[in-house]
Amino acid sequence: MPGLQLIGDLAIVLVIAGAAAWLCQRLRLSVVVGYLVAGAVIGPHTPPFALVADLERVETLAQLGLVFLVFWIGLNLNLNRLRNLGLSLIVATAIAALLVLNVSRTLGGLLGWSPTASLFLAGLLMVSSSAVIGKVLDELNLIHERPGQLALGMTVLEDAVAVAMLTLLTSVVQLGAGNPPAGLVSTLGGLGAFVVAVAVFLLLMAPRLLDRLSREAAPEVRTLAVAGLLLLLAWGAVRAGYSLALGAFVFGTVMGSTRYQADLARAFDGLHQIFGAVFFVAVGMQVDFRLLATDWPLLLLVAGLAWVLRPVACALGLLAVGNTPREALQAGLALTPLGEFSFVIAQLGVSTGVVPPALYAAAVGASLLTALGAPVLTRRSERWSERWARRLPNRVGAWVEFYHNWLTRLRARSSGSVLWKLTAGRLFQAGLHVLLVSALLGFAWPVYQRAKAGLGGEEWSERLLPFVFWGAFGLVLLGPLIALWRQMTALAMILAESATRGSPRAKRLQPFLEMALRSVGLVVLGVWFLALVPTGPLQRGVVAGVGVMLAALGVLFWRRFVHLHSRFEYELRRQFRRATHATATSAWAVALPEATADWGLDIDEVTLPGDSALAGRTLGELAIRARFGCSVVGIDRQGYGIANPRADTVLFPRDKLLLLGTPEQLARAVQHLGAAASPREAAADFDELTMEAVRVPEGSPLAGRPLRELDLIGRFGVQVGGLRRGRQRNLAPRGQDHFEAGDELLLLGTHAQIKAFCEALGPSAAEEPNEPAPRRAAD
């Protein structure tokens, strides 16, 4: 039976992978090395030990493993981590990738390879192994030193480069192996548009979906929904002409930026480990090391480029953004091990016939060699980099110092430039709108073709469908296009005013220059839009009719379109701030619903200093609510979250306190606690904490009793953050206060705790809970 045979093959793969991983751990090697060797042993190219009967089914599981592996990488490489890595490290990674790309293409041309084969060689050399590098740096105690941090940051970013390169190579192969550069620019543009469109959609929809599921469904339902969306998006990326890895990576990055990142990491950890092992074993199965008996120079070429080209390119990239020569070279030497995506890129090239089969074996062999040599290179990197820095010619050292001083002055000038501050945000928004509209236009024609085929080609549909479809689609595009034009006109006004400032003829020159810039912008936008609109297959009458209709609607309802798109942009910025907040408590603060702005409450996160005199005292002794009027709704203690702490909770140095109150109350409390704003590198876990408004029903058994007597935190785990009685509000109810029937309570706790409290409060409160209480988002 095929099903039983698959179970047997999968059992063999997992048992062999587990044994190989255990052996590699005993030998202090990366488990990836063990998986690859195990796959080579039980694969079809080692006849005496070939244990797997159906390799195709295992390869199918390997594709599934690739999806979960890339999703896991994206889940840990979230938007906040990307922001914290800094622009300079992103630029250094891009410079290193471009250097590897150009050297590989030149070398491939000298060896007589096709341009596409040279791209595949560059792709597998661009990627380093974050697992091997992290393990080596940790074992050598270099993970907290500056070169180690640079190496870790670059290897994380190279995972993103690998996904982009894999997607690019997939598209290039589809364009045709003979002449890939012809469609390279359009491919990159389409890739950027696809990523932006998917990321915008997920930023707007995913947090709402997760919040809804966390309130109304069990945790396993949320896990099933995320897994289903992951596979759906990976499949959709393939249907759009890209790779499985791209859809999984973008989805994982956005999911990792939500406040449910820790829960999702726990839920998918097992799937990632199992299917990740299956993926690497399947990679090893496809390696025929016998090819290296005749093509061993190819193995030496790939390994040599990894040992020479990679450290030089990475060091030059780090040097270009302002790091010292010693630190740059030391980090570059640590980045030599080739990564897991190298196998995927090489496999794509072999399966499409672009590169010879020996390149796949050479990629795996070079990965093993670089992984084995990584500890030696990293251990000696400090000595070699210092020796190289001392032997650097004086003239070269002087030029490097001059360049770094110039770079420092340029950064200071750019950060203080008024023109840059006025235009940077608008340029970013304009670029985002261009990519978003490009993605929508790219999706339009396939959707139209599908709709046309679905209607069966009847005569009435042939005449009516073009007007209905393109008219409705044009209405969707009007908002972003109007917003794009407004950004262009604002940029023209700013640039014209800046260019004519101080001129005696500024009043005459500024309107003329502004009009000229607007005209140029209009021409550029028109050329770009017409290049993307699929006008060829459509009748001229359809294009003209839809264009006139949209122009008329744009003029008549200009303000309405501007208002609707402004709401869209506001929601997108709010979700982006939420995704890039440093801690889960800060993300929770931004994520609180917004309908209770009239409560006038705010939320802040503060840290007790290491030498604080308040450490060792309980919250009850500090009496923060009684003295300042604000409430302590959560404590983060070295990554462990305490929601709604009791009065007898003892504070420790470096505790992060999540405070709720008015801005004035928070300011006084922060000043008393002597705590600065929480550092950005920590991440607390208050994933389920929320805020809801509940009305006290008639005949409630809890009404009229003092809060101290009710002990809501001890019994239910909830805290009363505010009490409203008619027009009177009590934003800091104390122990002697009580609530009555008809009062509105602002409760803090998890959804389950609030639900349990509502059941005790009375039947009507449990059956008809109010909507979550919104609040004014903290900027």
Side-chain angles (χ1 to χ4, degrees):
M1 295 177 64
L4 291 178
Q5 188 63 54
L6 175 63
I7 293 175
D9 291 343
L10 186 59
I12 293 173
V13 167
L14 293 179
V15 170
I16 296 296
W22 175 80
L23 181 61
C24 285
Q25 286 182 346
R26 295 294 297 256
L27 298 176
R28 304 179 71 83
L29 296 175
S30 171
V31 293
V32 175
V33 175
Y35 295 151
L36 295 174
V37 173
V41 169
I42 66 175
H45 303 296
T46 53
F49 306 100
L51 302 178
V52 176
D54 194 336
L55 185 59
E56 291 186 2
R57 283 198 291 260
V58 176
E59 290 177 358
T60 302
L61 292 176
Q63 293 293 322
L64 194 61
L66 176 63
V67 171
F68 284 107
L69 177 66
V70 177
F71 170 72
W72 183 264
I73 292 173
L75 195 65
N76 291 279
L77 183 64
N78 51 46
L79 296 175
N80 177 63
R81 189 175 182 186
L82 281 173
R83 187 186 67 173
N84 288 339
L85 286 174
L87 180 61
S88 62
L89 203 57
I90 296 175
V91 173
T93 305
I95 292 174
L98 289 175
L99 288 174
V100 172
L101 174 65
N102 287 286
V103 173
S104 299
R105 293 181 66 182
T106 303
L107 183 59
L110 295 175
L111 295 175
W113 292 15
S114 68
T116 309
S118 301
L119 284 178
F120 276 93
L121 176 63
L124 64 91
L125 288 172
M126 285 181 184
V127 191
S128 61
S129 175
S130 54
V132 174
I133 293 171
K135 180 179 178 61
V136 170
L137 290 174
D138 186 42
E139 290 178 349
L140 296 179
N141 237 358
L142 300 174
I143 203 166
H144 296 296
E145 295 187 7
R146 173 71 176 171
Q149 292 176 351
L150 292 174
L152 282 177
M154 285 196 72
T155 189
V156 167
L157 290 172
E158 282 179 338
D159 288 335
V161 172
V163 174
M165 197 64 188
L166 179 62
T167 303
L168 175 64
L169 290 172
T170 303
S171 302
V172 166
V173 169
Q174 293 176 354
L175 289 172
N179 188 21
L184 194 58
V185 175
S186 60
T187 300
L188 288 174
L191 171 62
F194 177 81
V195 170
V196 168
V198 172
V200 167
F201 174 78
L202 290 175
L203 278 173
L204 293 175
M205 301 303 299
R208 297 176 182 272
L209 174 65
L210 292 177
D211 289 342
R212 185 88 178 239
L213 291 176
S214 67
R215 286 198 304 266
E216 301 176 1
E220 57 266 24
V221 176
R222 182 174 61 194
T223 304
L224 290 173
V226 171
L229 289 175
L230 167 62
L231 297 177
L232 180 63
L233 195 56
W235 173 82
V238 175
R239 296 288 295 178
Y242 302 108
S243 65
L244 285 169
L246 180 65
F249 182 78
V250 175
F251 185 70
T253 302
V254 176
M255 291 296 101
S257 304
T258 66
R259 61 194 181 104
Y260 301 98
Q261 189 272 343
D263 281 351
L264 293 176
R266 287 191 293 268
F268 284 90
D269 185 37
L271 288 174
H272 153 254
Q273 292 181 5
I274 293 174
F275 285 105
V278 172
F279 167 73
F280 289 119
V281 172
V283 168
M285 287 181 184
Q286 300 173 38
V287 179
D288 187 358
F289 286 107
R290 293 175 297 181
L291 295 174
L292 296 179
T294 56
D295 295 318
W296 57 267
L298 187 59
L299 170 62
L300 296 181
L301 173 66
V302 176
L305 289 174
W307 278 325
V308 177
L309 177 58
R310 275 197 53 80
V312 171
C314 294
L316 290 176
L318 292 171
L319 194 65
V321 296
N323 294 285
T324 65
R326 185 187 63 81
E327 293 175 343
L329 183 59
Q330 189 175 351
L333 289 171
L335 287 164
T336 54
L338 292 182
E340 297 79 13
F341 277 106
S342 299
F343 317 141
V344 185
I345 293 173
Q347 181 187 23
L348 175 64
V350 171
S351 63
T352 54
V354 177
V355 297
L359 183 63
Y360 185 73
V364 176
S367 176
L368 294 175
L369 290 177
T370 53
L372 293 173
V376 178
L377 282 178
T378 307
R379 186 180 296 110
R380 300 183 179 180
S381 61
E382 184 176 4
R383 185 193 315 164
W384 289 349
S385 60
E386 288 180 354
R387 184 181 304 172
W388 179 80
R390 285 196 304 266
R391 295 183 179 181
L392 199 66
N394 294 332
R395 181 172 297 182
V396 176
W399 274 106
V400 170
E401 185 178 358
F402 170 78
Y403 171 74
H404 285 174
N405 292 335
W406 172 80
L407 198 62
T408 303
R409 292 194 302 270
L410 183 62
R411 287 172 177 170
R413 189 180 306 170
S414 299
S415 61
S417 172
V418 177
L419 180 62
W420 173 251
K421 291 179 179 179
L422 291 175
T423 58
R426 296 185 182 276
L427 287 172
F428 175 78
Q429 292 181 18
L432 189 67
H433 282 97
V434 166
L435 291 174
L436 182 60
V437 173
S438 300
L440 293 176
L441 289 171
F443 296 146
W445 185 250
V447 174
Y448 173 73
Q449 291 288 74
R450 183 67 61 87
K452 185 178 179 180
L455 292 176
E458 298 184 8
E459 183 178 354
W460 66 270
S461 65
E462 291 285 345
R463 295 181 178 180
L464 187 60
L465 179 63
F467 289 98
V468 174
F469 179 86
W470 294 109
F473 185 74
L475 286 176
V476 175
L477 288 182
L478 264 183
L481 288 175
I482 290 174
L484 183 58
W485 173 246
R486 294 177 69 221
Q487 295 291 347
M488 295 290 291
T489 55
L491 285 170
M493 181 185 66
I494 294 171
L495 293 175
E497 182 181 356
S498 176
T500 57
R501 183 177 301 153
S503 174
R505 295 183 295 175
K507 291 185 178 180
R508 294 183 180 181
L509 289 176
Q510 181 177 340
F512 174 77
L513 183 57
E514 184 178 343
M515 182 62 66
L517 291 173
R518 286 187 180 185
S519 302
V520 172
L522 183 61
V523 171
V524 172
L525 289 179
V527 172
W528 158 73
F529 188 76
L530 292 177
L532 294 176
V533 172
T535 56
L538 297 177
Q539 298 177 359
R540 294 181 179 179
V542 174
V543 176
V546 172
V548 171
M549 181 195 73
L550 294 178
L553 290 175
V555 172
L556 292 175
F557 300 100
W558 180 275
R559 292 182 178 273
R560 188 67 175 172
F561 281 112
V562 170
H563 175 70
L564 291 175
H565 194 73
S566 297
R567 291 182 58 184
F568 164 79
E569 288 184 335
Y570 169 77
E571 180 64 19
L572 183 61
R573 285 195 300 269
R574 189 176 76 90
Q575 294 297 341
F576 185 77
R577 287 199 308 270
R578 174 183 179 180
T580 54
H581 267 65
T583 62
T585 50
S586 302
W588 172 71
V590 177
L592 287 175
E594 297 184 359
T596 57
D598 56 339
W599 284 89
L601 293 176
D602 211 339
I603 199 160
D604 198 3
E605 187 179 2
V606 295
T607 305
L608 288 180
D611 55 352
S612 174
L614 304 179
R617 302 175 62 183
T618 65
L619 289 176
E621 293 173 345
L622 295 179
I624 295 176
R625 174 176 289 191
R627 298 176 61 184
F628 307 106
C630 56
S631 307
V632 179
V633 298
I635 299 176
D636 169 33
R637 183 166 295 159
Q638 297 181 356
Y640 175 73
I642 305 173
N644 283 332
R646 298 167 58 97
D648 56 359
T649 301
V650 179
L651 297 181
F652 289 84
R654 302 297 179 187
D655 276 357
K656 298 179 183 64
L657 309 182
L658 191 65
L659 303 176
L660 177 72
T662 64
E664 296 79 11
Q665 294 169 345
L666 293 175
R668 293 196 303 270
V670 168
Q671 184 178 6
H672 173 73
L673 294 172
S678 175
R680 292 187 174 272
E681 62 268 17
D685 184 11
F686 292 92
D687 293 339
E688 302 297 334
L689 197 62
T690 188
M691 180 184 292
E692 296 183 13
V694 173
R695 191 168 299 279
V696 181
E698 294 291 339
S700 172
L702 304 182
R705 299 168 60 183
L707 294 178
R708 183 184 298 107
E709 179 184 331
L710 293 176
D711 189 19
L712 300 182
I713 295 178
R715 294 174 59 188
F716 306 103
V718 300
Q719 185 172 172
V720 180
L723 189 153
R724 177 183 293 171
R725 182 174 300 158
R727 295 185 177 181
Q728 297 181 349
R729 292 182 304 174
N730 185 354
L731 299 182
R734 303 183 181 181
Q736 65 270 21
D737 294 332
H738 66 279
F739 52 80
E740 300 175 356
D743 288 354
E744 186 178 2
L745 306 179
L746 188 65
L747 301 176
L748 297 104
T750 66
H751 293 288
Q753 292 169 342
I754 294 176
K755 184 177 180 181
F757 170 74
C758 290
E759 292 175 353
L761 193 61
S764 58
E767 294 171 3
E768 301 179 1
N770 291 355
E771 291 295 323
R775 62 180 289 278
R776 178 172 52 84
D779 291 328

